[in-house]
Amino acid sequence: MTATKIAIMGVGKIARDQHIPAIAADPRFELAATVSRSGGLDGVENFATLSELIAARPDIPAVSLCMPPSVRYEAAAEAIAAGKQTMLEKPPGATVAEVLDLARMAEEAGVTLFATWHSRHAEGVAAAKAWLADKTITALRIDWKEDVRKWHPGQDWIWEPGNLGVFDPGINALSILTEIVQVPLHLTGAELSFPENRAAPIAADLTFAGPGFIAEAAFDWRQEGGEIWQIAVETTAGTLRLIEGGARLFLDDSEQTVHGRGEYPDLYHRFGDLIEGGARDVDATPLIHVADAFLLGRRLVVEPFNE
Amino acid sequence: MTATKIAIMGVGKIARDQHIPAIAADPRFELAATVSRSGGLDGVENFATLSELIAARPDIPAVSLCMPPSVRYEAAAEAIAAGKQTMLEKPPGATVAEVLDLARMAEEAGVTLFATWHSRHAEGVAAAKAWLADKTITALRIDWKEDVRKWHPGQDWIWEPGNLGVFDPGINALSILTEIVQVPLHLTGAELSFPENRAAPIAADLTFAGPGFIAEAAFDWRQEGGEIWQIAVETTAGTLRLIEGGARLFLDDSEQTVHGRGEYPDLYHRFGDLIEGGARDVDATPLIHVADAFLLGRRLVVEPFNE
């Protein structure tokens, strides 16, 4: 089997921390080039623009787009139009309409488009989904709290409109929620807390209605002393808890043994499967819930945030 | 032919101004009951709740939901579950997820669900769509400006989150836009102006990208001296203009003769057709664009609004 040559566009923190090691460890992929205006990696050919990559390296059939979501659409559209198998970091776009449009374009072009939600690939998620499949949910609670200074050091772009603010981590929780809970949910209330000097929320409290239960979520970027990334699901057959972002699973306080490749290795494994099968995986639901939170949410102004 | 008995839920301004006269004029429908906590119409049986209507009047197969969108989902879900043919005023829900959920429920239940966009039924819209079908658009401009004091007198609920503010009229323009322009658009920028004492925007400026052109929209609720509801589309074959909310059509300043039943009579005509054909019509696209505007939009604070 020949490894699929892949290019990464957007060589920032997430690419260096996650994508590049995951590609290096996957025998089905070979990192063949990067696209970055600010420089790439030692020993890997770099292009300033995607257009230059497409023109110069027709031997590279796949691209993984890791830049901020506000500039992802144009690159994704260009990659799809060039027939590239395309993987998108989360969130898959700056708007819901963009994502639906890209899905349609990929289908028409017959190329693989994988709009990834890395948290869905945490080790405990598949087991949680399987356990919940025949249970009756009575309540659900998400706490997703981390320190923005730790996780987004110096990333001022994250506060600009279109980059989601605290929903950037919060959408990870929503991506797990919409994976493990296979009944439809819709937002019924939201409070979004904006620092008075920022254009994006630093905290959000959401309430969703599901059939027969309420789901509540608290997102906060002001957490200090260690992150809390957990989802607790009460059912008539006991309580399920995912902690550490979905990596560990508990049923009624008894930790379950779970297995997995790890989030990003599993993402690339799935991308490889989608390419081999000529398939696509584009689920806009987590982003729809976030857009709904902005649409429906009441805004609170809180103290300024300075890094 | 026996007229289909229909009940109206939510006997407010829009029901009295539009729905009730349209039903009265349509031989395929008969207004058989109303649902309203604040009283109905002389000579028409009224119920305080939809549940009471469903229990007492199984002979009524159709309902038209005219209450504010923030409370529409529960009623629509109940009506669909009871097997009622269901029509929704615009916007079809308070969130995008709600609308997609209702569409799925109606499909599973095999009932007609008609998420109406009344402006799509303005007299000039079908002709505009037909003319644009083979044209190349180079630019598009929407101006949708009206006096909120005139069009929503005393309706304080319109300023609450979930009721869209100036997007309540603006979504009419977006519903025409997405009907006459048959290429995908996505929002690339938005500025939303919020009065400092209100939780919903009083004005919005939007920019959309389409294939090869930019579409701009200016929505404003502070208009005095007559409303401006117009869409101008520049093409390589000339300029199309819809004015007066889509009622009048111009091609290069030459007014075209258009025909139609009028917006609400045509809505009920279409609802009758959908019921006869066992079909559904639920297009969430205009609401998706509005949610995207809240998601992506930069917020400006403007002077307080007092009625």
Side-chain angles (χ1 to χ4, degrees):
Chain A
M1 191 180 73
T2 309
T4 298
K5 289 180 182 169
I6 188 168
I8 280 190
M9 181 170 180
V11 187
K13 179 171 169 54
I14 194 70
R16 292 174 191 271
D17 289 355
Q18 300 290 351
H19 289 261
I20 290 163
I23 290 169
D26 191 325
R28 289 200 289 184
F29 289 101
E30 174 198 340
L31 182 62
T34 56
V35 179
S36 170
R37 286 193 188 277
S38 52
L41 306 167
D42 285 348
V44 180
E45 188 176 18
N46 184 61
F47 296 89
T49 68
L50 180 61
S51 304
E52 290 169 57
L53 170 84
I54 290 168
R57 294 294 302 272
D59 62 310
I60 299 177
V63 296
S64 182
L65 305 183
C66 304
M67 72 286 269
S70 55
V71 294
R72 200 169 286 143
Y73 174 85
E74 272 187 73
E78 184 178 359
I80 292 166
K84 304 298 180 194
Q85 320 294 352
T86 303
M87 179 162 143
L88 308 176
E89 244 300 347
K90 49 90 7 183
T95 65
V96 174
E98 277 184 10
V99 180
L100 301 179
D101 193 20
L102 291 174
R104 183 194 51 74
M105 290 169 60
E107 187 162 348
E108 288 178 8
V111 303
T112 290
L113 179 65
F114 183 21
T116 67
W117 299 105
H118 64 78
S119 290
R120 287 183 174 174
H121 299 259
E123 284 83 344
V125 171
K129 179 178 180 175
W131 189 81
L132 285 169
D134 62 354
K135 305 299 184 297
T136 301
I137 298 172
T138 55
L140 194 151
R141 166 89 196 173
I142 296 171
D143 291 280
W144 216 261
K145 301 176 181 183
E146 64 179 46
D147 183 349
V148 65
R149 292 181 177 89
K150 172 179 173 183
W151 290 94
H152 294 283
Q155 292 181 313
D156 255 1
W157 58 263
I158 207 119
W159 294 102
E160 287 302 293
N163 290 306
L164 305 187
V166 75
F167 288 96
D168 179 76
I171 204 168
N172 295 337
L174 298 179
S175 74
I176 296 176
L177 172 68
T178 51
E179 174 74 9
I180 65 174
V181 175
Q182 290 289 298
V183 292
L185 301 168
H186 64 273
L187 196 76
T188 56
E191 283 191 349
L192 276 55
S193 296
F194 287 73
E196 65 176 47
N197 63 335
R198 299 289 182 170
I202 197 165
D205 289 294
L206 312 179
T207 305
F208 294 89
F213 68 94
I214 296 295
E216 292 181 302
F219 301 155
D220 205 319
W221 247 353
R222 298 165 299 192
Q223 176 75 10
E224 294 182 9
E227 39 278 355
I228 297 171
W229 294 323
Q230 67 175 27
I231 299 177
V233 190
E234 316 248 347
T235 79
T236 54
T239 299
L240 176 147
R241 279 191 308 131
L242 284 167
I243 68 167
E244 297 178 13
R248 298 173 65 192
L249 172 66
F250 292 77
L251 297 176
D252 284 335
D253 297 323
S254 166
E255 183 159 11
Q256 308 296 301
T257 304
V258 293
H259 303 281
R261 295 179 183 86
E263 294 185 11
Y264 281 80
D266 203 51
L267 277 189
Y268 279 91
H269 185 82
R270 171 119 176 98
F271 189 36
D273 286 351
L274 289 169
I275 292 172
E276 283 180 24
R280 282 164 287 284
D281 180 351
V282 183
D283 178 13
T285 310
L287 188 60
I288 286 172
H289 287 314
V290 173
D292 283 345
F294 279 83
L295 180 67
L296 194 63
R298 192 171 292 278
R299 173 197 172 92
L300 306 176
V301 177
V302 296
E303 62 184 25
F305 174 83
N306 295 298
E307 189 160 351
Chain B
M1 191 182 73
T2 309
T4 298
K5 289 179 182 169
I6 188 168
I8 279 188
M9 181 170 180
V11 187
K13 180 171 168 55
I14 195 71
R16 292 174 191 273
D17 288 356
Q18 300 290 350
H19 290 262
I20 291 163
I23 291 170
D26 191 324
R28 290 199 288 184
F29 289 102
E30 174 198 341
L31 182 63
T34 56
V35 179
S36 170
R37 287 192 188 277
S38 53
L41 304 168
D42 285 347
V44 180
E45 188 177 18
N46 184 60
F47 296 89
T49 67
L50 181 60
S51 304
E52 292 169 54
L53 170 84
I54 290 169
R57 294 294 301 273
D59 62 309
I60 299 177
V63 297
S64 182
L65 304 183
C66 303
M67 73 286 270
S70 55
V71 295
R72 198 169 287 143
Y73 174 84
E74 273 188 71
E78 185 178 357
I80 292 167
K84 304 298 180 194
Q85 319 293 353
T86 303
M87 178 164 143
L88 308 176
E89 244 298 348
K90 51 86 14 182
T95 65
V96 174
E98 278 184 10
V99 180
L100 301 180
D101 193 20
L102 291 174
R104 183 195 52 76
M105 291 170 59
E107 186 162 349
E108 288 178 8
V111 303
T112 290
L113 179 65
F114 183 21
T116 68
W117 299 105
H118 64 77
S119 291
R120 287 183 175 175
H121 299 258
E123 283 83 346
V125 171
K129 179 178 180 175
W131 189 81
L132 285 170
D134 62 355
K135 304 300 185 294
T136 300
I137 298 172
T138 55
L140 193 151
R141 167 88 196 174
I142 296 172
D143 291 280
W144 217 261
K145 302 176 181 184
E146 63 179 47
D147 184 348
V148 63
R149 293 180 175 88
K150 172 179 174 184
W151 289 94
H152 294 283
Q155 293 180 314
D156 256 0
W157 58 263
I158 207 119
W159 294 102
E160 288 302 294
N163 291 306
L164 305 188
V166 75
F167 287 97
D168 180 77
I171 204 169
N172 295 337
L174 298 179
S175 75
I176 295 176
L177 172 67
T178 50
E179 174 73 9
I180 65 175
V181 174
Q182 290 290 297
V183 292
L185 301 167
H186 64 274
L187 196 75
T188 55
E191 283 192 349
L192 277 54
S193 296
F194 287 73
E196 64 176 48
N197 63 337
R198 299 288 183 172
I202 198 166
D205 290 294
L206 312 179
T207 305
F208 294 89
F213 66 95
I214 296 295
E216 291 181 303
F219 301 155
D220 206 319
W221 247 352
R222 298 165 300 193
Q223 176 76 9
E224 293 180 10
E227 40 278 354
I228 297 171
W229 294 322
Q230 67 175 28
I231 299 176
V233 189
E234 316 250 347
T235 80
T236 53
T239 299
L240 175 147
R241 278 191 310 131
L242 284 167
I243 67 166
E244 297 177 14
R248 298 173 65 190
L249 172 65
F250 292 76
L251 296 175
D252 285 334
D253 298 322
S254 164
E255 184 159 9
Q256 308 296 302
T257 304
V258 293
H259 304 282
R261 295 178 183 87
E263 294 185 11
Y264 282 80
D266 202 52
L267 278 190
Y268 279 92
H269 185 82
R270 171 120 175 99
F271 189 36
D273 287 350
L274 288 170
I275 292 173
E276 284 180 22
R280 282 164 288 283
D281 181 351
V282 182
D283 178 11
T285 310
L287 187 60
I288 287 173
H289 287 315
V290 173
D292 282 345
F294 278 84
L295 180 67
L296 194 64
R298 191 171 292 278
R299 174 197 171 93
L300 306 176
V301 177
V302 298
E303 63 183 24
F305 174 82
N306 296 296
E307 189 160 350

